[in-house]
Amino acid sequence: MGSAFGLILMIFSWVLFTFPGSDAQDGVKSAHVLDLIIRDHTFKALDKNFKTAIPQSVDLPSNLSGIGVDAVRFRCGSLRRYGAHLKEFHLGTGVTVHPCIERVMLIRQNMGYNWSSIYYANYDLSGYQLVSPIVGLLAYNADEDANSSNPFQLGIVAGEKPMTIDFTNATRMNQEGGIKPLCASFEGDGRMTLAKAPNPSRPLVCVAKRHGHFGLVVEYSPPDQFRNKPLSRWKVAVGSTIGAALGAFLLGLLLVAMLVRVKKRSRMVEMERRAYEEEALQVSMVGHVRAPTALGTRTTPIIEHEYMPHHHPR
């Protein structure tokens, strides 16, 4: 049952990621460029004086539909002392942001199933299939005297306890299906690292030590019960019989074609022979029979008894 569910899940995920519903991705091919576009729209959409530690949802333009973005601003010291919770991400106490002077802006991204397909072009996912949207957590400077038109990225490093990413509400994958996905971390240098969920009872919860983009993947190969399955004897017998019958039928057609061709060629040879003979001899009908006749001669022969001697005058 679990294997059948896994096969259905992989087909469903392939359809979701292979046939995206938005054409906007045609203009954005880089995951890093997409991060910068989301950053710029987030800083423009939010009021510079919005309250600290209160998450705000960000409305993106229509050409970025399908992406969910939330942002929250913290004082660096408060974030380290109390940690934070932002949708799928939970940051425990002791988390540090560097370099951070006073305030930091955390931006959480949920790429959705459509925009997550960009990661197939930016990372080597051969042999694996995404079964969740890509989610990301990035940090930027949010000091009041900072240039909001060009905020720079900061690094997030977890404390003693790693930060967790809970995909329970972000994926359509059923935990009771028997399939254990792998946690995928998409690094900034183009590498993808895989790891098992640390808690077997919570296979949809991943952990990380730093900021980045994350997702769930499963192996793309079909289950073992669908590979190398031996055929039953009656199937082999039926297949052999059908193959032999088809081969005999095709061989018969080939022989008939050869006979027709030989007969046609013999006919042509006979017609050519007759035409040649008719050129040499004139053929006439004698009764109901065709008979050759010789051509007429140029001089008429003189019969001897018809010869009359000449009389000389006396």
Side-chain angles (χ1 to χ4, degrees):
M1 180 68 181
S3 299
F5 175 81
L7 182 62
I8 295 173
L9 175 65
M10 284 189 285
I11 294 173
F12 178 73
S13 300
W14 178 81
V15 171
L16 286 174
F17 287 106
T18 307
F19 301 99
S22 174
D23 294 332
Q25 292 123 306
D26 294 340
V28 181
K29 301 297 184 183
S30 168
H32 177 64
V33 171
L34 184 58
D35 289 339
L36 297 179
I37 293 174
I38 293 174
R39 178 203 66 181
D40 293 342
H41 281 291
T42 300
F43 274 84
K44 290 178 181 178
L46 295 178
D47 186 355
K48 199 171 183 179
N49 297 318
F50 76 95
K51 295 182 179 180
T52 303
I54 298 179
Q56 300 285 332
S57 61
V58 179
D59 294 328
L60 297 178
S62 59
N63 64 329
L64 296 175
S65 61
I67 301 177
V69 176
D70 293 272
V72 60
R73 190 170 62 175
F74 290 100
R75 290 182 179 273
C76 299
S78 298
L79 181 62
R80 183 174 60 253
R81 286 191 298 270
Y82 304 110
H85 182 79
L86 185 59
K87 292 295 178 74
E88 300 87 359
F89 295 91
H90 179 76
L91 286 71
T93 57
V95 62
T96 59
V97 179
H98 61 87
C100 184
I101 300 175
E102 186 176 358
R103 290 181 175 86
V104 59
M105 174 87 76
L106 300 183
I107 297 180
R108 166 263 179 189
Q109 311 166 348
N110 185 327
M111 299 300 181
Y113 283 99
N114 291 344
W115 285 92
S116 295
S117 61
I118 290 181
Y119 282 74
Y120 282 99
N122 288 260
Y123 294 87
D124 183 12
L125 280 166
S126 56
Y128 295 93
Q129 175 71 52
L130 281 169
V131 292
S132 76
I134 299 295
V135 297
L137 182 66
L138 301 177
Y140 299 93
N141 65 311
D143 296 331
E144 293 183 357
D145 58 348
N147 184 5
S148 60
S149 62
N150 188 27
F152 57 87
Q153 186 173 338
L154 308 176
I156 303 174
V157 180
E160 294 183 2
K161 293 183 178 181
M163 64 180 183
T164 61
I165 308 105
D166 190 353
F167 288 95
T168 303
N169 297 323
T171 179
R172 296 183 176 94
M173 188 172 184
N174 190 348
Q175 297 187 57
E176 300 177 357
I179 302 296
K180 300 296 183 182
L182 295 173
C183 298
S185 175
F186 300 92
E187 308 295 337
D189 57 1
R191 292 183 301 109
M192 179 186 69
T193 58
L194 299 174
K196 293 182 179 180
N199 188 348
S201 63
R202 302 181 69 192
L204 303 184
V205 179
C206 301
V207 297
K209 293 290 292 183
R210 60 193 303 273
H211 62 278
H213 296 84
F214 312 92
L216 295 177
V217 299
V218 294
E219 291 187 17
Y220 194 56
S221 57
D224 292 337
Q225 71 176 36
F226 294 101
R227 292 182 298 173
N228 301 326
K229 189 176 181 180
L231 295 175
S232 59
R233 291 183 178 180
W234 71 269
K235 290 183 179 180
V236 174
V238 171
S240 300
T241 302
I242 294 175
L246 183 60
F249 176 71
L250 294 176
L251 181 60
L253 289 179
L254 179 61
L255 291 174
V256 170
M258 291 177 65
L259 290 174
V260 170
R261 185 174 181 181
V262 170
K263 189 174 181 180
K264 188 175 181 181
R265 184 172 182 81
S266 300
R267 223 170 179 190
M268 291 296 296
V269 171
E270 179 65 19
M271 291 176 66
E272 290 177 0
R273 185 183 65 80
R274 288 184 180 180
Y276 177 77
E277 290 178 353
E278 290 179 357
E279 286 180 2
L281 296 175
Q282 183 177 354
V283 179
S284 61
M285 295 297 294
V286 179
H288 296 286
V289 180
R290 290 164 52 105
T293 59
L295 296 175
T297 57
R298 293 179 178 270
T299 58
T300 304
I302 300 173
I303 303 176
E304 293 183 357
H305 66 269
E306 292 181 354
Y307 173 75
M308 297 294 293
H310 295 280
H311 297 278
H312 298 279
R314 292 180 181 179

